Amino acid sequence: MKFIEKASGWLFAVGLAVALVLVFNYLDVMILMAFNNAGIDTRIYKGVFSFIAAIVNIIVFAVFFVICKKIKKPVLRTEKIGWIEILLSVIIAIGMLGFVDTFIMVSDRISEYIKSLSDQLEQYRDSVNRYAGVEESQVPFWDSVIYLITVCFIVPVEEEFIFRGAVFGVLREKMKPVFAMIITALIFGIMHSVSIHTAYAFVCGMILTDWYYFTDKNLAGGTDGIPTTSIDRDIYYFVKGIISHSLPFFSLYDRIFDDYGGIYESLQRKC
């Protein structure tokens, strides 16, 4: 009887966690459809789209947290974090960034012998390239600014709300923390879709969830999440966008980014 009760609790928690992630996906799809119906190209205005999608998700999940608190089932920990926790969060974040860099670098070396992995790496690079499928000159400068701010600061908060807050919050109510961490990290990894991204996102998800559980504070996890959004990559494409707007008539532009871009793309193999 106890086993059945425990198993049903697990199934309910996992089902609710999956439903919350589907809500997150549904909101993104609805916003994408709204942009398409309005004739707005999300490849050009990716910054605006990402910003609105992240803010909408934060608001919706904030409402969810308030409702849970009202019914005496709080899932979000909102304790104030101290300076020591912030410092440790930054150290952990740098470690995760080093892990991701090493993971991609090793994968790149292995891909020289495995074509399927090489294809996955190309797909991964396209997925993280701000200007994939669009010319830099088509993207407004202000949208590049919005995109950089959103990806580096707002999206990590959104992900903390959804995964470490909502998903982990509902799972830990019905199962041991270690199982809740694994399932949360697994969902977090799968949500990154590309297999290369999924693999390291799972490990980073485990670290973030474990750190959140240790501190019992979501914002500590959010501090870790910021550097793992590959700020260096975003800044590179952002600066490239600035130059494409400010130096459109200089032949030096092409040479600058032929040279620097080549160097960067080699570094991109490890980040």
Side-chain angles (χ1 to χ4, degrees):
M1 191 67 180
K2 285 186 177 180
F3 172 78
I4 296 176
E5 184 179 345
K6 189 174 183 179
S8 62
W10 272 52
L11 289 174
F12 174 79
V14 172
L16 180 56
V18 171
L20 290 169
V21 174
L22 289 177
V23 168
F24 160 61
N25 280 333
Y26 177 78
L27 291 172
D28 277 359
V29 170
M30 289 298 100
I31 295 169
L32 179 61
M33 290 178 61
F35 270 69
N36 290 338
N37 290 335
I40 301 174
D41 192 337
T42 54
R43 293 173 302 175
I44 296 176
Y45 299 100
K46 191 174 182 178
V48 174
F49 169 74
S50 301
F51 175 79
I52 292 176
I55 293 299
V56 168
N57 272 295
I58 288 173
I59 292 173
V60 169
F61 278 87
V63 172
F64 170 73
F65 296 139
V66 171
I67 293 173
C68 290
K69 190 174 182 179
K70 290 288 186 182
I71 63 175
K72 309 299 182 183
K73 296 282 187 180
V75 295
L76 182 70
R77 304 301 191 267
T78 55
E79 297 291 331
K80 184 178 180 181
I81 60 175
W83 286 106
I84 293 178
E85 290 165 333
I86 292 176
L87 178 61
L88 289 174
S89 292
V90 172
I91 293 172
I92 292 172
I94 293 172
M96 285 197 298
L97 190 57
F99 162 74
V100 172
D101 287 351
T102 303
F103 180 87
I104 297 299
M105 181 177 64
V106 172
S107 298
D108 187 64
R109 294 294 177 267
I110 297 175
S111 70
E112 295 176 4
Y113 308 98
I114 304 175
K115 187 179 184 304
S116 59
L117 181 58
S118 178
D119 293 339
Q120 285 293 322
L121 279 170
E122 286 302 316
Q123 186 181 353
Y124 166 74
R125 292 190 180 106
D126 285 341
S127 72
V128 298
N129 183 353
R130 166 63 181 88
Y131 297 110
V134 64
E135 293 293 330
E136 292 95 327
S137 58
Q138 292 181 278
V139 180
F141 170 71
W142 54 266
D143 190 81
S144 296
V145 175
I146 293 174
Y147 179 78
L148 182 67
I149 293 173
T150 301
V151 172
C152 293
F153 300 103
I154 300 177
V155 169
V157 174
E158 175 195 24
E159 291 185 345
E160 287 309 303
F161 265 41
I162 296 168
F163 295 101
R164 260 64 65 182
V167 173
F168 180 65
V170 299
L171 291 174
R172 73 189 298 192
E173 291 293 318
K174 297 295 183 179
M175 61 185 69
K176 291 182 179 180
V178 64
F179 296 122
M181 290 176 192
I182 293 172
I183 295 174
T184 300
L186 185 61
I187 294 174
F188 183 65
I190 292 173
M191 285 300 298
H192 285 80
S193 67
V194 181
S195 61
I196 293 294
H197 209 164
T198 296
Y200 76 70
F202 170 76
V203 177
C204 290
M206 278 294 295
I207 296 171
L208 288 168
T209 309
D210 184 65
W211 180 234
Y212 166 52
Y213 177 72
F214 175 75
T215 60
D216 228 18
K217 302 171 180 66
N218 271 91
L219 290 180
T223 307
D224 288 335
I226 292 174
T228 57
T229 54
S230 301
I231 292 178
D232 56 339
R233 179 197 70 231
D234 297 315
I235 289 177
Y236 163 72
Y237 285 118
F238 173 63
V239 172
K240 186 173 181 179
I242 292 176
I243 293 182
S244 70
H245 283 80
S246 59
L247 300 177
F249 305 108
F250 290 81
S251 60
L252 180 62
Y253 162 73
D254 290 328
R255 182 168 182 180
I256 288 174
F257 279 105
D258 279 345
D259 294 342
Y260 178 64
I263 296 172
Y264 182 82
E265 290 305 324
S266 66
L267 292 175
Q268 186 75 337
R269 294 181 179 180
K270 63 173 183 175
C271 62

